[in-house]
Amino acid sequence: MNKIVLLTGFEPFGGESLNPSWEAARRLDGVELAGARVHARQLPCEFGAALAALRWELDALRPTLAVAVGQAGGRAELSLERVAINIDDARIPDNAGRQPIDRPIVAGGPAAYFSTLPIKAQTAALRRAGIPAAVSQSAGTFVCNHVFYGLMHALAGGPARGGFIHIPYLPEQAAAHPGAPSMSLDTISAGLTLALETALTATTDIAETGGTTH
Amino acid sequence: MNKIVLLTGFEPFGGESLNPSWEAARRLDGVELAGARVHARQLPCEFGAALAALRWELDALRPTLAVAVGQAGGRAELSLERVAINIDDARIPDNAGRQPIDRPIVAGGPAAYFSTLPIKAQTAALRRAGIPAAVSQSAGTFVCNHVFYGLMHALAGGPARGGFIHIPYLPEQAAAHPGAPSMSLDTISAGLTLALETALTATTDIAETGGTTH
Amino acid sequence: MNKIVLLTGFEPFGGESLNPSWEAARRLDGVELAGARVHARQLPCEFGAALAALRWELDALRPTLAVAVGQAGGRAELSLERVAINIDDARIPDNAGRQPIDRPIVAGGPAAYFSTLPIKAQTAALRRAGIPAAVSQSAGTFVCNHVFYGLMHALAGGPARGGFIHIPYLPEQAAAHPGAPSMSLDTISAGLTLALETALTATTDIAETGGTTH
Amino acid sequence: MNKIVLLTGFEPFGGESLNPSWEAARRLDGVELAGARVHARQLPCEFGAALAALRWELDALRPTLAVAVGQAGGRAELSLERVAINIDDARIPDNAGRQPIDRPIVAGGPAAYFSTLPIKAQTAALRRAGIPAAVSQSAGTFVCNHVFYGLMHALAGGPARGGFIHIPYLPEQAAAHPGAPSMSLDTISAGLTLALETALTATTDIAETGGTTH
């Protein structure tokens, strides 16, 4: 046992009193999966500061696998994000009150990075286990995409793999957002566990469509 | 303890291998709530036969409260149904292969019955408890509405109260319906328990809007 | 030519500067369809006052056919409403500032009235003509349902037929509601024309499902 | 007058008998806008062949501005696409029966290209003109994204600007897809005209959010 998994969640934002990404990540802190130990860390929901904290953890932990998790209020499934794009375009202010519009995350950086997680194998494994999941073609343009891009930029060229998973509201959040789907913390945690195990054990991804026509 | 609650769920339909309404109802079978005992019964997903089975149970049990529960694949919340309408219009065949179109459930019966459950108080109690819930203005025109209408017709003029609650897919069902919302069996069961307790203890409903502009 | 069609639309509400139901209805004022002449009238978006105005027009015009039209912001199609229910439950105040909750429209009236329009034949004719349309199981609980119920109550027992059609936003409205569907005034007007013609010429409705499972 | 605009639409796919992108583009063929002439061309809905045809037109016409347009059945608005990603992942086969999964469009190409259209200024101009429009963060992973990526790859480093606009179904298409939003050909054509004019006259984009939180 010396492989390390870094699993991050966010602090609450947008008026919520909790963030399901951190509630789920903290549950897995210290757990052993497929010969690796999970280290859960909370990130601030702030442009810049979130990435600074992430880079500090990457340097300190030197993980084999680094997965960031974020809340996607309104989505019904675990979303295996395919691609991070090099832009911040905030529809609402972050927790520090900043609202960048059309600013690159890394000046001169590539336009995008693809996840290096086996997102098709993860989606298939989750569905087989009865956990709603889908590949997503966009992680948005807020702090989640910011962290996803920054993570992939930090890992680029190295051996560690990484990616981003969006999760639904918890039921207690959705109760205040009529019409919004939700997922229980038990289901989310089981899903993240399985997604991490699949990432740790899959050597290559599977060829199964996760695309959209538009 | 001599008050009786009849709680019905349906057998699977539409290609599913289970029906969350029966999974949830059976969990509550025998439970005591606010001085009443819950009797859970499964109904066939068939026009006519479902109502015959329901009437048999009503006669046998003489419940104080009768609540029918049904699966609403695609909805994200517990739906407290407001009104049952006197029409069968089946988009898909029922489990006996019948697909009635625009036929009255009770010839000469009223066009509709309103639920006699305190649906606003139930919605408020569920949301306060962190369980996603909403009033719904239509229970559709399939076997669910058929049973809801038949239930209210049977109870009409008597002292017992009744109504219908639609529930989402379970996660293991939604895993096979990409994009569909779901709710865990624990959350559904807790929600039904609270909805029944509220119905058993509320003397009148509360004045809180549950309407829609269209 | 002595058959008369009453076609009503509403004044704007909910912060909009126009109401597509009146824009479409006024276009058809004076038009002859299948041997009948259309009389378009605008109704206030107010509980009570809308019905008073409607009854005055019914008395004055003695129409063979009376169709009320209303805006359903968020819907994508022409909605042929199946049923009006005897309840006002206002999510937002009407144009007079009133917001009734769970109050019957007609005290002691039936729980519901079904449309007496051939809604299946209309839906089929519209789709054949390339105009998006669907049967709807709920007209909501606001002023639209209020007028629909009051119209059917006024026509009950008489020879005249009537019903309600909900229509989408116009594009210029949807431009201010990101994500909302819309329909051009030309398409809406062509659709209402065809729906009225179908109602004037169809002697019975067709047997084609327009139902929902929930 | 010697500036040239290349405007492409697609042939029908997915069982449709027309493609609104070509219906709209052909209407603008030969039109003069802001001192430029529009050349409309139809592309096959085939991976590879679509890009070959596009490159041929780019070489032949040497346009100042090149905008590809595609059908996005299910969307309600004109979608100004922000980013093209270097991947083909076909949920359905293309018109030649090919269905690539997770294959790069340009081997060794950048992970993504951003549109060089002023998508925020276009969105704002369209909404001001009463035409529903929004920035989109994903053009999918089918032939539309394929052409968008290939277009931006071809234009990279040169002076010409380019991008991609997704459009809704026409009403006659949506009539066969219950629930689907649509937009009239008049509105789509007016929207594309305004979007092209804005691209031809705007020197820089405006700073207005078009982002999403996820």
Side-chain angles (χ1 to χ4, degrees):
Chain A
M1 164 78 62
N2 34 30
K3 285 203 287 180
I4 288 175
V5 175
L6 171 60
L7 181 68
T8 67
F10 284 101
E11 65 180 7
F13 73 98
E16 301 293 325
S17 59
L18 58 77
N19 190 315
S21 66
W22 175 239
E23 301 306 316
R26 76 197 301 182
R27 274 208 183 186
L28 301 186
D29 190 41
V31 166
E32 290 181 32
L33 297 174
R37 186 175 301 278
V38 177
H39 294 248
R41 295 292 185 270
Q42 191 187 56
L43 301 179
C45 189
E46 296 179 26
F47 292 101
L51 267 188
L54 175 69
R55 285 197 206 101
W56 202 91
E57 298 295 347
L58 289 171
D59 285 348
L61 293 167
R62 301 275 160 197
T64 304
L65 176 67
V67 176
V69 183
Q71 165 191 307
R75 291 199 195 167
E77 306 164 305
L78 299 188
S79 290
L80 286 299
E81 294 294 348
R82 189 196 287 269
V83 63
I85 61 175
N86 190 14
I87 202 134
D88 289 331
D89 186 0
R91 195 177 54 74
I92 56 173
D94 71 7
N95 283 0
R98 277 185 289 262
Q99 191 170 6
I101 293 182
D102 292 348
R103 300 246 301 269
I105 299 164
V106 174
Y113 285 105
F114 286 105
S115 174
T116 50
L117 301 180
I119 57 175
K120 303 297 183 69
Q122 290 173 312
T123 301
L126 288 163
R127 290 180 178 174
R128 262 197 314 273
I131 298 172
V135 169
S136 162
Q137 323 300 338
S138 170
T141 57
F142 195 56
V143 182
C144 286
N145 174 73
H146 180 86
V147 161
F148 182 15
Y149 183 91
L151 169 63
M152 301 317 296
H153 190 69
L155 299 182
R161 290 199 292 177
F164 197 96
I165 301 177
H166 263 122
I167 63 174
Y169 280 138
L170 294 177
E172 53 263 47
Q173 296 179 285
H177 296 280
S182 61
M183 189 176 278
S184 74
L185 190 53
D186 283 352
T187 304
I188 294 172
S189 301
L192 291 182
T193 300
L194 183 52
L196 293 180
E197 284 173 340
T198 305
L200 287 164
T201 56
T203 50
T204 58
D205 204 356
I206 60 174
E208 198 165 285
T209 184
T212 58
T213 51
H214 56 263
Chain B
M1 163 80 60
N2 33 30
K3 285 203 287 182
I4 288 176
V5 174
L6 171 61
L7 182 68
T8 68
F10 285 101
E11 64 181 7
F13 72 99
E16 301 291 326
S17 59
L18 58 78
N19 189 315
S21 66
W22 175 238
E23 300 306 316
R26 77 197 301 182
R27 275 209 184 186
L28 299 186
D29 188 41
V31 165
E32 291 181 31
L33 296 174
R37 187 175 301 277
V38 176
H39 294 249
R41 295 291 184 270
Q42 191 188 55
L43 302 179
C45 189
E46 296 179 26
F47 291 100
L51 266 188
L54 176 68
R55 284 197 205 102
W56 202 91
E57 298 295 347
L58 289 172
D59 285 347
L61 292 167
R62 302 275 159 197
T64 304
L65 176 67
V67 175
V69 183
Q71 164 191 309
R75 291 199 195 167
E77 305 164 307
L78 300 187
S79 290
L80 287 299
E81 295 293 349
R82 188 197 288 269
V83 64
I85 61 175
N86 190 14
I87 201 134
D88 289 331
D89 186 1
R91 195 177 56 73
I92 57 172
D94 71 7
N95 283 359
R98 279 185 288 263
Q99 191 171 5
I101 294 182
D102 292 348
R103 299 247 301 272
I105 298 164
V106 175
Y113 284 104
F114 286 105
S115 174
T116 49
L117 301 180
I119 57 174
K120 302 299 183 69
Q122 289 172 315
T123 301
L126 288 163
R127 290 180 178 174
R128 264 198 312 273
I131 298 172
V135 169
S136 163
Q137 323 299 338
S138 169
T141 58
F142 196 56
V143 182
C144 286
N145 174 74
H146 180 86
V147 160
F148 181 15
Y149 182 91
L151 170 63
M152 302 317 295
H153 189 70
L155 299 183
R161 290 200 291 178
F164 197 95
I165 301 177
H166 264 122
I167 63 176
Y169 281 139
L170 294 178
E172 53 263 47
Q173 296 179 283
H177 296 279
S182 62
M183 190 176 277
S184 74
L185 190 53
D186 284 351
T187 303
I188 293 173
S189 302
L192 292 182
T193 301
L194 183 52
L196 293 180
E197 285 173 338
T198 305
L200 287 164
T201 55
T203 50
T204 57
D205 204 357
I206 61 173
E208 197 164 285
T209 185
T212 57
T213 51
H214 56 263
Chain C
M1 161 79 62
N2 34 31
K3 286 203 286 182
I4 288 175
V5 174
L6 172 60
L7 182 68
T8 67
F10 284 101
E11 65 181 6
F13 72 99
E16 300 292 325
S17 59
L18 58 79
N19 189 314
S21 66
W22 174 239
E23 299 307 316
R26 76 198 298 183
R27 274 209 184 185
L28 299 187
D29 188 41
V31 165
E32 290 182 32
L33 296 175
R37 186 174 300 278
V38 176
H39 294 249
R41 296 291 185 269
Q42 191 187 57
L43 301 179
C45 189
E46 296 178 27
F47 292 100
L51 267 189
L54 176 68
R55 286 196 204 104
W56 202 92
E57 298 296 346
L58 289 172
D59 286 348
L61 293 169
R62 303 275 159 195
T64 303
L65 178 66
V67 175
V69 184
Q71 164 191 309
R75 292 200 195 165
E77 307 164 306
L78 299 188
S79 289
L80 285 301
E81 295 294 348
R82 188 196 288 267
V83 63
I85 60 175
N86 189 15
I87 200 132
D88 290 330
D89 187 0
R91 196 179 54 77
I92 57 172
D94 71 7
N95 283 359
R98 276 185 290 261
Q99 192 171 4
I101 294 182
D102 293 348
R103 299 249 299 271
I105 298 165
V106 174
Y113 285 105
F114 286 105
S115 174
T116 50
L117 301 180
I119 57 175
K120 302 298 183 69
Q122 290 173 314
T123 300
L126 287 164
R127 289 180 178 175
R128 265 198 311 274
I131 298 172
V135 169
S136 163
Q137 324 300 339
S138 170
T141 57
F142 195 55
V143 182
C144 286
N145 174 73
H146 180 86
V147 160
F148 182 15
Y149 183 91
L151 170 63
M152 301 317 295
H153 190 70
L155 299 182
R161 290 200 290 179
F164 197 96
I165 301 176
H166 262 123
I167 62 175
Y169 281 138
L170 294 178
E172 53 263 47
Q173 296 179 284
H177 296 279
S182 61
M183 190 177 276
S184 75
L185 190 52
D186 284 351
T187 302
I188 294 172
S189 301
L192 291 182
T193 300
L194 183 53
L196 293 180
E197 284 172 340
T198 304
L200 287 164
T201 55
T203 50
T204 57
D205 203 356
I206 60 174
E208 198 165 285
T209 185
T212 58
T213 50
H214 56 262
Chain D
M1 164 77 62
N2 34 30
K3 286 203 286 182
I4 287 175
V5 175
L6 171 61
L7 182 69
T8 67
F10 285 100
E11 64 180 6
F13 73 99
E16 301 291 326
S17 59
L18 59 77
N19 190 314
S21 66
W22 175 239
E23 300 306 315
R26 76 197 300 183
R27 273 209 184 184
L28 299 187
D29 188 42
V31 165
E32 290 181 33
L33 296 174
R37 185 174 301 277
V38 176
H39 294 249
R41 295 292 185 270
Q42 192 187 56
L43 301 179
C45 189
E46 296 177 28
F47 291 101
L51 267 188
L54 176 69
R55 287 196 203 102
W56 201 93
E57 299 294 346
L58 289 172
D59 286 347
L61 292 168
R62 303 274 159 198
T64 304
L65 177 67
V67 176
V69 184
Q71 165 191 308
R75 291 199 194 167
E77 306 164 307
L78 300 187
S79 289
L80 287 300
E81 295 294 349
R82 188 195 289 267
V83 63
I85 61 175
N86 189 15
I87 201 134
D88 290 331
D89 186 0
R91 195 178 54 76
I92 56 173
D94 72 6
N95 284 359
R98 276 184 290 262
Q99 191 171 5
I101 294 181
D102 293 348
R103 299 248 299 271
I105 299 164
V106 175
Y113 285 105
F114 287 105
S115 175
T116 50
L117 301 180
I119 57 174
K120 302 299 183 69
Q122 290 173 313
T123 300
L126 288 163
R127 289 180 177 175
R128 264 197 312 272
I131 298 172
V135 170
S136 163
Q137 323 299 339
S138 169
T141 58
F142 195 55
V143 183
C144 286
N145 175 73
H146 181 87
V147 161
F148 181 16
Y149 184 91
L151 170 63
M152 302 316 296
H153 190 70
L155 299 182
R161 290 199 290 178
F164 197 95
I165 301 178
H166 263 123
I167 63 176
Y169 281 139
L170 294 178
E172 53 263 47
Q173 297 180 284
H177 296 280
S182 60
M183 191 176 276
S184 75
L185 191 52
D186 283 353
T187 303
I188 293 172
S189 301
L192 292 182
T193 301
L194 182 52
L196 293 180
E197 284 173 339
T198 305
L200 287 163
T201 55
T203 50
T204 58
D205 203 356
I206 61 174
E208 198 165 286
T209 186
T212 57
T213 50
H214 55 263

